[in-house]
Amino acid sequence: MPPRASKRKSAPPNSSSVTSSDGRSVSSKAKIKELEKIDRLFNTYANSSLGMIDPEGIEALCSDLGVDYTDVRILMLAWKLKAEKQGYFTQDEWQTGLKALGVDSLSKLKKALSDLEKEVEKPSNYEDFYTYAFRYCLTEEKQKSVDIESICELLNLVLGVQFRPQIDSLIEYLKVQNDYKVINSDQWINFLRFCKEISFPDLENYDATQAWPLILDNYVEWMREKHS
């Protein structure tokens, strides 16, 4: 037996689908207006010949935001935009990222940077941000490692606030050792794991038989000799 036809009246139109005099829904008009504002902001900093915001444009943006070009919040913004190339923001990345942030003006973006810090600090986001920070430094095609000098700067930027004693010590070691000229992704990920899991400065719970990269075995040995 076929189901009986419903006699209920159809629900009134949702407020989001209310149409204006030109036939467009109010919500879609608002979205278009928001996108236009986001694009205007993009064009303020974009290199018109490249069609993207380049390093010079990012420096101008930082100046207007009142933050330093090397401020970790700019790296956090790149993470939120899912920027693929260091020092460049495409229009698609800019649109997607600013819509996700609910931002369509410079003043809103300035305020959003503080909220972005809190978002990144969530455990569910932090490891993703930390991994992204390494990938963002891979500026050449098929590049898989980052030079020691850049790694030291990056460690200071992304882990320095949370793990200052560990990072100062690790950076000191990286600068004096001669075995490694570059750091790969696995080593980078294990630097964070080391800071989170190993008691410092005694390093009592460090077990070299566990799956630690050799560079950390060498670092721990250097630390123990230094403090013996």
Side-chain angles (χ1 to χ4, degrees), residues 13 25 38 58 95 107 116 122 147 189 209 224 226 228:
S25 75
I38 288 172
I58 293 178
Q95 286 177 349
S107 59
L116 197 51
K122 291 178 184 173
D147 67 275
I189 292 297
T209 64
R224 285 173 175 160
K226 190 179 174 186
S228 60

Side-chain angles (χ1 to χ4, degrees), residues 23 44 72 76 81 102 123 125 156 168 189 215:
T44 303
V72 70
M76 289 174 180
L81 267 56
N125 291 329
N156 191 49
D168 283 348
I189 292 297
I215 191 170

Side-chain angles (χ1 to χ4, degrees), residues 112-163:
L113 289 182
S114 300
D115 298 330
L116 197 51
E117 279 188 280
K118 292 175 192 145
E119 184 181 340
V120 168
E121 283 166 10
K122 291 178 184 173
S124 56
N125 291 329
Y126 191 79
E127 199 158 316
D128 186 62
F129 167 70
Y130 181 81
T131 305
Y132 171 83
F134 181 86
R135 288 200 314 270
Y136 194 58
C137 288
L138 302 176
T139 54
E140 304 295 327
E141 194 177 345
K142 295 184 179 176
Q143 183 182 346
K144 294 186 183 300
S145 54
V146 178
D147 67 275
I148 291 290
E149 186 180 345
S150 298
I151 284 292
C152 290
E153 290 174 8
L154 198 59
L155 280 168
N156 191 49
L157 189 66
V158 301
L159 291 183
V161 174
Q162 287 176 277
F163 302 104

Side-chain angles (χ1 to χ4, degrees), residues 16 31-32 46 67 76 94 138 140-141 172 197 201:
S16 65
K31 284 176 184 173
I32 290 167
V67 298
M76 289 174 180
W94 183 262
L138 302 176
E140 304 295 327
E141 194 177 345
E172 183 188 352
E197 295 180 12

